[in-house]
Amino acid sequence: MKKLIEVLPDKTALIERSLSLTLEKITTAIEQRGQCTLALSGGSTPKPLYEALAQQPLPWEKIHIFWGDERYVPPDHPDSNQGMTRQAWLNHISIPAENIHPMPTASGDPTLDAQTHETELIQFFQVGIGQFPAFDVILLGMGDDGHTASLFPHTEALAVRDRLVTVGNKDGQPRLTFTIPLINQARCVIFVVAGENKRPALAEIMAEVSDEQAYPSRSIQPQGELWWLLDAAAGE
């Protein structure tokens, strides 16, 4: 694993750097493999990044969009990661509908929907049962509790090592989430983190020794590159 940490002066600079790095990784993936598989994070921090990506003249037919986690709500719900991304970005570009791979949330059974999405990933990447596909880029955020995707401290999802997608739990609310081994198979993972409230958790995550159960983002150790892009408030 190659770990790189950059602290940007403010949130504007953080988004600009996130954009340039994401574009670089998309371009490299398309040059090397003919397409790019990109998994997105939710939350407020990446929204301006998605708005900026909507302005880029990219070969959208060669880019496949996934999400690293999703709240268990319909796509038109205000809390939906998919919904936010479509409004900020995907509705404004000419990307083929079949290149967008949202997590299903409609069956009423989160476990069943997690299995359905796992099957889609296995078929899309053409990997065998028990194998983990390698995403080109996975964008992640981090909560002030140290969680990432929907991998929350001291929850059952942290222990899942034999699935690609599982059910996370936030205060009793189910969410779908990539598992730790799936994220760690990625060629490039980019954390985009802003805000002074993230500092205590970041200190634990960057420490020589700490508890991965308490700070799940510590568990993200991809086989490729690991980027931490921080604004000065988070990373000074």
Side-chain angles (χ1 to χ4, degrees):
M1 182 189 76
K2 182 180 178 186
K3 182 177 180 181
L4 305 107
I5 302 171
E6 293 185 14
V7 181
L8 289 307
D10 53 33
K11 191 171 178 184
T12 300
L14 173 67
I15 296 304
E16 288 175 358
R17 179 66 182 120
S18 303
L19 175 64
S20 65
L21 182 59
T22 302
L23 290 173
E24 176 191 323
K25 297 304 174 187
I26 289 171
T27 302
T28 299
I30 293 171
E31 286 174 352
Q32 294 180 353
R33 289 174 290 280
Q35 68 175 18
C36 176
T37 51
L38 174 62
L40 307 177
S41 62
S44 58
T45 302
K47 187 178 180 183
L49 169 60
Y50 300 159
E51 291 169 343
L53 280 163
Q55 307 302 316
Q56 304 301 311
L58 289 167
W60 298 112
E61 73 281 358
K62 297 179 180 178
I63 298 171
H64 286 263
I65 302 292
F66 300 82
W67 282 264
D69 74 315
E70 184 56 273
R71 295 173 172 91
Y72 202 69
V73 295
D76 58 356
H77 190 283
D79 292 339
S80 169
N81 290 340
Q82 178 197 167
M84 181 272 282
T85 311
R86 287 185 183 275
Q87 290 172 14
W89 173 13
L90 301 179
N91 290 349
H92 307 285
I93 59 171
S94 56
I95 186 169
E98 61 269 21
N99 286 26
I100 302 173
H101 307 267
M103 290 181 162
T105 58
S107 79
D109 182 344
T111 301
L112 177 62
D113 281 332
Q115 292 170 349
T116 298
H117 194 56
E118 175 162 319
T119 300
E120 182 187 3
L121 295 181
I122 289 169
Q123 292 172 346
F124 176 85
F125 286 97
Q126 297 183 309
V127 294
I129 302 296
Q131 293 181 308
F132 292 90
F135 279 85
D136 292 306
V137 185
I138 297 180
L139 295 173
L140 292 176
M142 189 204 75
D144 54 13
D145 60 355
H147 87 269
T148 192
S150 283
L151 299 163
F152 290 92
H154 305 293
T155 55
E156 292 178 9
L158 302 182
V160 178
R161 292 292 190 270
D162 58 347
R163 304 303 299 259
L164 280 60
V165 183
T166 192
V167 180
N169 189 304
K170 168 67 169 170
D171 300 330
Q173 298 295 316
R175 301 180 176 205
L176 303 189
T177 185
F178 282 5
T179 60
I180 290 168
L182 176 56
I183 296 172
N184 283 345
Q185 195 62 27
R187 296 185 176 94
C188 179
V189 171
I190 304 171
F191 276 93
V192 182
V193 181
E196 192 174 351
N197 58 322
K198 308 293 175 69
R199 277 195 202 180
L202 275 170
E204 294 288 342
I205 288 157
M206 301 296 179
E208 193 104 346
V209 179
S210 189
D211 181 359
E212 291 184 358
Q213 286 291 313
Y215 299 94
S217 293
R218 275 185 73 90
S219 300
I220 306 306
Q221 306 284 336
Q223 56 108 10
E225 296 177 355
L226 173 61
W227 290 80
W228 283 90
L229 301 183
L230 317 171
D231 72 352
E236 262 184 2

